[in-house]
Amino acid sequence: MKEVFGHSNLRRALAPAFFFSIILIFCGQSLFAQTYVSNNGIIMERLPDEDVREVERLNEEAEAEDALARKIAAEKKLASEQAQEDDTEDIEEADAIDELFGEESEGDTNDAVITTTTEIVKIDKKDKPVEFSGDLSAELGGLVWFYPWENTKPVATFSNTLKFIGRPRTDFYVYGSFLTSFPEMDFGVYELYFDYTLFGTADISAGKRDISWSLSRMLNTNIIDEKCAIITSEEALKKEKRKTKDSKFTFAITVPVLSYASVKTLAQYESNALEEEMPDYVSLAAKVEGYVGKFTVSVLGKRWAKMDLNRYDPCAGLEIVSTILGKNSNVFAQGLFHFDPSAKNMSRSKFTMGIYKYFENPVMLGLSFEYQAIWGRKELNKKNKDTGVVEGIGQYEGFQHLFAAEIAWSRFIFTKKWTFGCKWFHDTRGEKAAGFYGTITPGIQISEILPHVDFKTTSPIYYGSQEKYGLVFELALNLKY
């Protein structure tokens, strides 16, 4: 009886165990159908095939969205770098002022946010991995001074800039330009540098580059190229042509801060040769910009290289730019202050203000006015390397006040665009402190008298300590290709 009872009890105990084991196996199959053990021992969820395909589809869509976002960011960056070129399309008539007097504006003055002056060409990397373009300008004419009388002097100039841009990636490009000019007989590489966008935001650039942080159309407000030089009559009459030596090896970084500010820093090597004491030839500059509505406020500064022949005391400044006057307008003010570390005082200050406005209707009229006040505690001199002679190159001791204005009015006469304009410049001190002087330069331009050829005539009139009168007439060829 005990044996029978024992076997009976055993069967009764194993029956539920067998039943629960079947349930456990079934549940285990369901469980392990949804999971697997990864190589590092972590239990990972296993998805059905249709769920896997859905996840892969979502991942592909996310990657496509990220690629699109990077592409849009790169295109926005290109658009900002093309600001100067785009402005000419938006307000083509306003550039008649610069065309009439044979000058280019010192900087981009049609946007509150100031950008570099380098033109960037937007290209499709799939169709055109490298694109070439160029600017050609030539002038042929004559200059005659009626008082004091001089024979007619020929005017012949030529300048061609061949440019290329290569973009193997949306976040990286290489830009270069080759300059040929006459009568300067300048021939060589003008710019050659790369630009890399890091994480879709920060820009890193390095190479031979001509960069400007200028606000002005007529007077010098570019702290990057601030040589503290005395304003001369030649500078008042005509802006100096570009030269290959103007561009320097530059390392620059631009970092956006949130959505309403950016930080720009750069270092420039102030020599064409590799010197032993390289740090002594490096100048440093920085600029912090903040954007509030139609206003841009910037704090900037520069430290000149120790071996820079045009060096001056370290400088700090403040700029305010606005388009508060509406479309096709610009208002700015800038203050720069130099401090002498040895004397522990301010050695020089410069204040500049300007206004520009172009009216499209009812007439095509452009107006520009600028004022600059410069004060210096000491004169700046340098020693000529070749002759050993000490030359005065710097600020007057005391005040210098500069005024500049331009006006241009355009209309079509007999299917040709005629531009009538006048430029005024006034210096209260004059060249070499000989007294005040000024220039008034009226002019007329007839556009497209031949394909891509304009006729221009201007009459420079000097008054004050440099009295003389003249007439310039020329044919000007301007071609973009």
Side-chain angles (χ1 to χ4, degrees):
M1 291 294 294
K2 291 183 179 179
E3 182 179 355
V4 173
F5 179 79
H7 287 289
S8 175
N9 291 338
L10 180 62
R11 286 195 298 269
R12 291 177 182 177
L14 291 176
F18 177 77
F19 176 75
F20 283 114
S21 66
I22 295 298
I23 296 177
L24 182 62
I25 292 173
F26 177 78
C27 294
Q29 290 291 334
S30 301
L31 175 64
F32 284 99
Q34 303 296 324
T35 62
Y36 70 97
V37 179
S38 64
N39 293 332
N40 57 10
I42 300 177
I43 297 178
M44 306 296 291
E45 182 179 6
R46 186 187 302 275
L47 299 177
D49 292 341
E50 60 272 14
D51 292 337
V52 171
R53 288 193 294 270
E54 178 65 16
V55 170
E56 291 177 348
R57 184 184 66 81
L58 293 176
N59 288 338
E60 290 176 356
E61 290 181 355
E63 291 177 357
E65 291 177 357
D66 291 342
L68 179 61
R70 289 193 297 269
K71 182 178 179 181
I72 293 175
E75 290 179 350
K76 288 182 178 180
K77 177 177 179 294
L78 277 177
S80 67
E81 291 169 336
Q82 283 185 286
Q84 187 173 7
E85 184 70 15
D86 294 341
D87 289 335
T88 62
E89 298 176 1
D90 188 32
I91 50 172
E92 179 180 356
E93 305 298 338
D95 289 340
I97 295 179
D98 299 324
E99 293 174 359
L100 176 60
F101 297 104
E103 299 179 352
E104 298 176 356
S105 60
E106 183 69 24
D108 178 9
T109 59
N110 299 308
D111 267 332
V113 180
I114 305 303
T115 63
T116 60
T117 58
T118 302
E119 176 190 2
I120 301 298
V121 182
K122 182 180 179 181
I123 63 174
D124 184 347
K125 69 173 184 177
K126 294 181 179 179
D127 299 332
K128 299 178 181 179
V130 179
E131 183 168 293
F132 290 89
S133 61
D135 293 327
L136 186 149
S137 64
E139 298 173 348
L140 180 64
L143 165 63
V144 57
W145 291 105
F146 298 114
Y147 177 83
W149 171 257
E150 293 184 15
N151 294 328
T152 302
K153 298 180 179 179
V155 174
T157 66
F158 173 86
S159 177
N160 182 75
T161 305
L162 177 63
K163 298 170 281 189
F164 80 90
I165 180 171
R167 183 179 291 279
R169 295 168 50 92
T170 57
D171 55 1
F172 181 88
Y173 68 81
V174 177
Y175 178 87
S177 61
F178 193 85
L179 176 65
T180 305
S181 64
F182 174 86
E184 292 83 4
M185 300 304 292
D186 200 4
F187 184 80
V189 176
Y190 182 60
E191 290 187 302
L192 183 59
Y193 65 92
F194 75 84
D195 190 286
Y196 174 58
T197 303
L198 187 62
F199 305 126
T201 55
D203 288 336
I204 301 175
S205 173
K208 183 175 170 61
R209 187 173 183 181
D210 185 12
I211 189 169
S212 173
W213 288 352
S214 181
L215 306 174
S216 171
R217 297 176 64 89
M218 296 171 285
L219 302 176
N220 180 21
T221 58
N222 182 18
I223 190 174
I224 303 301
D225 194 34
E226 171 65 89
K227 295 183 174 61
C228 304
I230 298 173
I231 300 297
T232 67
S233 58
E234 295 301 322
E235 291 172 328
L237 177 63
K238 193 171 186 179
K239 183 181 176 181
E240 188 177 3
K241 297 293 184 180
R242 293 183 300 176
K243 296 183 176 64
T244 54
K245 67 178 182 180
D246 293 338
S247 56
K248 304 171 183 177
F249 190 89
T250 304
F251 178 77
I253 300 177
T254 300
V255 180
V257 180
L258 299 179
S259 60
Y260 49 82
S262 66
V263 179
K264 300 179 180 180
T265 60
L266 66 83
Q268 284 189 326
Y269 187 60
E270 303 286 346
S271 177
N272 294 324
L274 188 60
E275 307 289 349
E276 293 182 0
E277 300 296 332
M278 183 178 292
D280 292 341
Y281 290 84
V282 177
S283 62
L284 303 174
K287 183 177 185 178
V288 180
E289 292 181 336
Y291 324 120
V292 181
K294 294 184 177 181
F295 290 86
T296 299
V297 180
S298 304
V299 178
L300 66 165
K302 180 179 179 180
R303 192 215 70 180
W304 274 255
K306 181 179 179 181
M307 301 304 293
D308 185 356
L309 297 178
N310 295 307
R311 72 181 183 278
Y312 206 62
D313 297 331
C315 177
L318 178 68
E319 296 176 345
I320 300 177
V321 192
S322 176
T323 56
I324 194 173
L325 296 182
K327 182 181 179 182
N328 303 336
S329 71
N330 175 262
V331 180
F332 76 89
Q334 180 196 68
L336 299 177
F337 308 94
H338 297 259
F339 299 91
D340 186 346
S342 59
K344 297 182 180 180
N345 58 25
M346 187 171 67
S347 56
R348 183 178 188 260
S349 64
K350 182 169 72 171
F351 172 77
T352 310
M353 61 168 291
I355 181 172
Y356 169 78
K357 177 67 177 178
Y358 175 69
F359 301 90
E360 294 178 305
N361 294 304
V363 294
M364 295 181 290
L365 178 67
L367 301 170
S368 182
F369 173 79
E370 294 178 6
Y371 163 72
Q372 190 171 85
I374 311 173
W375 172 83
R377 184 185 296 274
K378 61 183 180 180
E379 293 189 5
L380 178 63
N381 302 311
K382 74 174 181 180
K383 187 175 182 180
N384 190 301
K385 279 185 174 181
D386 301 325
T387 63
V389 177
V390 176
E391 303 172 348
I393 63 167
Q395 170 61 39
Y396 293 120
E397 185 177 357
F399 280 97
Q400 183 182 19
H401 299 273
L402 306 174
F403 301 86
E406 291 177 331
I407 181 172
W409 168 58
S410 298
R411 64 170 302 173
F412 284 88
I413 303 176
F414 301 116
T415 71
K416 302 295 183 182
K417 188 180 75 172
W418 291 58
T419 301
F420 306 88
C422 187
K423 180 177 180 178
W424 173 60
F425 177 88
H426 184 84
D427 182 0
T428 58
R429 289 293 298 268
E431 190 176 9
K432 298 179 181 179
F436 79 91
Y437 83 95
T439 62
I440 300 175
T441 310
I444 301 174
Q445 173 179 296
I446 307 174
S447 300
E448 295 286 332
I449 63 170
L450 295 172
H452 307 291
V453 177
D454 304 333
F455 172 77
K456 296 193 293 185
T457 178
T458 58
S459 180
I461 302 171
Y462 285 69
Y463 61 86
S465 60
Q466 302 178 29
E467 185 176 0
K468 57 181 179 179
Y469 319 106
L471 177 66
V472 179
F473 53 92
E474 60 188 14
L475 295 174
L477 169 66
N478 294 284
L479 180 63
K480 294 182 181 293
Y481 58 89

